[in-house]
Amino acid sequence: MNVPLLDLKTQYKTIKNKIKQAIDKVLEEQKFILGKHVTFLEEKIANYCNCNYAIGVSSCTDALLVSLMAIDIKPGDEIITTPYTFFATIGSIVRLGAKPVFVDIDPETYNLNPKEIEAKITSKTKAIIPVHLFGQCCEMDLIIDIAKRHNLRVIEDAAQALGAMYKDKKVGSIGDIGCFSFFPSKNLGGYGDGGMVVTNDEALYKKIKMLRVHGTEKKYYHKFVGGNFRLDELQAAILLAKFKYLDTWNKKRGECAKRYDQLFSQANLLDKVASPCVRQTNHVFHQYVVRVKERDELLKYLKTQGIGCAIYYPLPMHLQECFSYLNYKKGDFPNAEKAAKETLALPMYPELTLEQQEYVVEKIKEFYKK
Ligand SMILES: Cc1ncc(COP(=O)(O)O)c(C=O)c1O
């Protein structure tokens, strides 16, 4: 049997006609930049996240960059965040000349540990970027409380978590700004790059909208130095066609996660395979990540058995070559470093079948019997 890490082709077969119609509509209209599909998608996502405003952008990388630009991040400013994330979270900080200041993660959820934030705040700290990793929201009450007491902005990196909740709130709506990704593998994935910024702050909304088009409101009159951070119409039309399935797909991911948990338990593997720790009411399982001591050997074995798996992420950000000037060293964030050695993402997508999951668990059992 073949069980890929992600199977976009199977999903495409279920929505093919709708996607083709959506693309055709844009082609007939011949309006490719900031047309009505982008506006409709912004309205849908704002509404979905219970936010007043949404701005479609070119990627989540650019969503993070434009958000930091909007809150006036300057060289020398410090931003507190996690070392256990995708590069874009940190890259966007550094591109503005600001300094990422890391706190270690909670070893169970892999999200940044809010209890370590306060000790890292200095007079230069301007913002906190919590990353809702793998589809589960961070401990936002603690983060918001710290931010309020120290007058810091909060930008949620919700690239992996569209639809996830924290208590009764949707991710993205809890801090000052929320950033989402529509990279094809995401829970709501386009057929190319795309992203979205959400906020309840009117001033930030207006500024981000201008920054998206080189800092203009009126064409050729530039109030700020922005960039070309636009989401294009074709992607917006595709995303609109897919958006109506998001909650169903997220629900199916949750069901697949429960099934994995049960299968690991039935196979008596729980002492060897630590399944994800679910703390928040609505984890959207962008990834189903287990923790195993023999990670690299298991990964190799599963690949030989036709099972796709991946490591998110093999090297934490504080140990990346390009950030060596920050002078962090091995051992600074032991939980992140240990997670980077022990975590393994197993196949996860809404269309994953029970038979495929049984096969994955059977092969893991076989690995431990060897
Ligand atoms: C946590 C996180 N932040 C930011 C990004 C960047 O998103 P994009 O690929 O849309 O630029 C990603 C994408 O994988 C991500 O996982």
Side-chain angles (χ1 to χ4, degrees):
M1 194 187 284
N2 208 11
V3 191
L5 180 66
L6 172 70
D7 184 355
L8 290 175
K9 284 186 184 164
T10 297
Q11 181 172 92
Y12 178 60
K13 280 186 200 140
T14 67
I15 51 174
K16 203 172 190 164
N17 289 340
K18 296 207 166 67
I19 297 289
K20 287 194 164 167
Q21 279 164 16
I23 292 175
D24 229 33
K25 214 165 156 213
V26 178
L27 295 182
E28 289 302 329
E29 286 162 4
Q30 290 288 303
K31 170 132 178 79
F32 297 109
I33 305 294
L34 295 185
K36 64 176 188 233
H37 292 93
V38 171
T39 307
F40 284 162
L41 184 68
E42 289 172 342
E43 283 168 13
K44 290 259 186 222
I45 300 286
N47 201 21
Y48 183 74
C49 294
N50 290 318
C51 277
N52 291 338
Y53 310 104
I55 308 114
V57 291
S58 30
S59 64
C60 186
T61 302
D62 287 340
L64 290 161
L65 183 66
V66 82
S67 299
L68 290 165
M69 289 166 87
I71 60 166
D72 286 319
I73 295 305
K74 299 270 182 308
D77 289 344
E78 294 179 3
I79 315 285
I80 296 178
T81 189
T82 166
Y84 194 59
T85 179
F86 178 62
F87 180 81
T89 318
I90 315 307
S92 55
I93 297 170
V94 173
R95 282 168 70 187
L96 294 176
K99 183 180 170 190
V101 174
F102 298 115
V103 296
D104 207 355
I105 55 166
D106 174 326
E108 291 194 333
T109 62
Y110 310 112
N111 280 333
L112 100 180
N113 182 354
K115 293 189 186 104
E116 296 195 11
I117 293 177
E118 223 151 0
K120 298 287 175 80
I121 296 175
T122 72
S123 58
K124 294 181 183 162
T125 311
K126 293 284 155 44
I128 306 169
I129 305 186
V131 180
H132 308 313
L133 206 67
F134 306 142
Q136 175 162 235
C137 189
C138 296
E139 273 303 334
M140 290 307 287
D141 278 352
L142 291 170
I143 295 170
I144 298 293
D145 174 58
I146 295 166
K148 281 205 172 124
R149 281 189 287 109
H150 294 271
N151 198 21
L152 305 175
R153 296 288 205 165
V154 175
I155 297 175
E156 294 174 65
D157 181 341
Q160 304 185 4
L162 182 58
M165 311 269 294
Y166 180 72
K167 299 185 178 170
D168 59 345
K169 292 188 178 131
K170 281 267 167 65
V171 306
S173 68
I174 309 161
D176 296 280
I177 303 176
C179 299
F180 295 105
S181 172
F182 301 131
F183 184 79
S185 65
K186 295 295 190 280
N187 290 27
L188 178 62
Y191 294 165
D193 279 307
M196 188 70 69
V197 177
V198 294
T199 184
N200 280 310
D201 184 319
E202 190 182 1
L204 286 176
Y205 163 68
K206 285 185 173 161
K207 191 165 176 190
I208 292 169
K209 230 179 144 180
M210 281 193 257
L211 287 167
R212 174 173 72 172
V213 279
H214 296 291
T216 57
E217 198 168 21
K218 191 171 155 200
K219 214 172 177 183
Y220 305 125
Y221 292 84
H222 302 265
K223 194 164 172 162
F224 311 106
V225 177
N228 173 358
F229 300 131
R230 297 180 296 248
L231 174 68
D232 75 57
E233 276 290 287
L234 273 170
Q235 289 310 328
I238 290 163
L239 290 161
L240 272 171
K242 291 182 81 178
F243 176 75
K244 46 177 107 44
Y245 304 102
L246 176 65
D247 280 343
T248 310
W249 286 335
N250 278 348
K251 199 164 153 254
K252 286 192 173 165
R253 284 173 181 271
E255 287 163 8
C256 289
K258 272 209 190 99
R259 260 188 343 227
Y260 268 135
D261 292 349
Q262 282 161 3
L263 291 168
F264 283 126
S265 163
Q266 284 160 13
N268 290 321
L269 280 170
L270 290 181
D271 56 332
K272 298 197 173 58
V273 181
S275 45
C277 161
V278 179
R279 292 251 183 86
Q280 309 304 340
T281 39
N282 197 19
H283 186 322
V284 291
F285 285 97
H286 174 56
Q287 301 293 349
Y288 183 91
V289 173
V290 296
R291 189 192 273 269
V292 284
K293 289 249 163 354
E294 311 70 13
R295 196 265 316 270
D296 294 340
E297 295 81 4
L298 178 60
L299 171 92
K300 250 189 238 155
Y301 181 70
L302 292 180
K303 287 209 162 152
T304 65
Q305 301 302 307
I307 296 169
C309 23
I311 299 169
Y312 302 116
Y313 300 91
L315 187 66
M317 290 300 126
H318 66 289
L319 300 177
Q320 295 288 341
E321 189 178 341
C322 63
F323 301 137
S324 59
Y325 69 94
L326 293 169
N327 291 321
Y328 283 112
K329 56 182 188 318
K330 251 193 189 158
D332 282 346
F333 304 104
N335 292 332
E337 289 168 37
K338 195 159 184 276
K341 288 200 176 74
E342 297 182 345
T343 53
L344 187 65
L346 299 180
M348 171 53 81
Y349 42 89
E351 300 77 15
L352 190 65
T353 64
L354 173 63
E355 292 69 37
Q356 287 175 311
Q357 290 188 277
E358 282 172 343
Y359 178 75
V360 172
V361 176
E362 186 189 306
K363 291 295 158 188
I364 294 177
K365 187 156 189 164
E366 210 169 274
F367 169 82
Y368 281 106
K369 272 204 187 131
K370 280 198 299 161

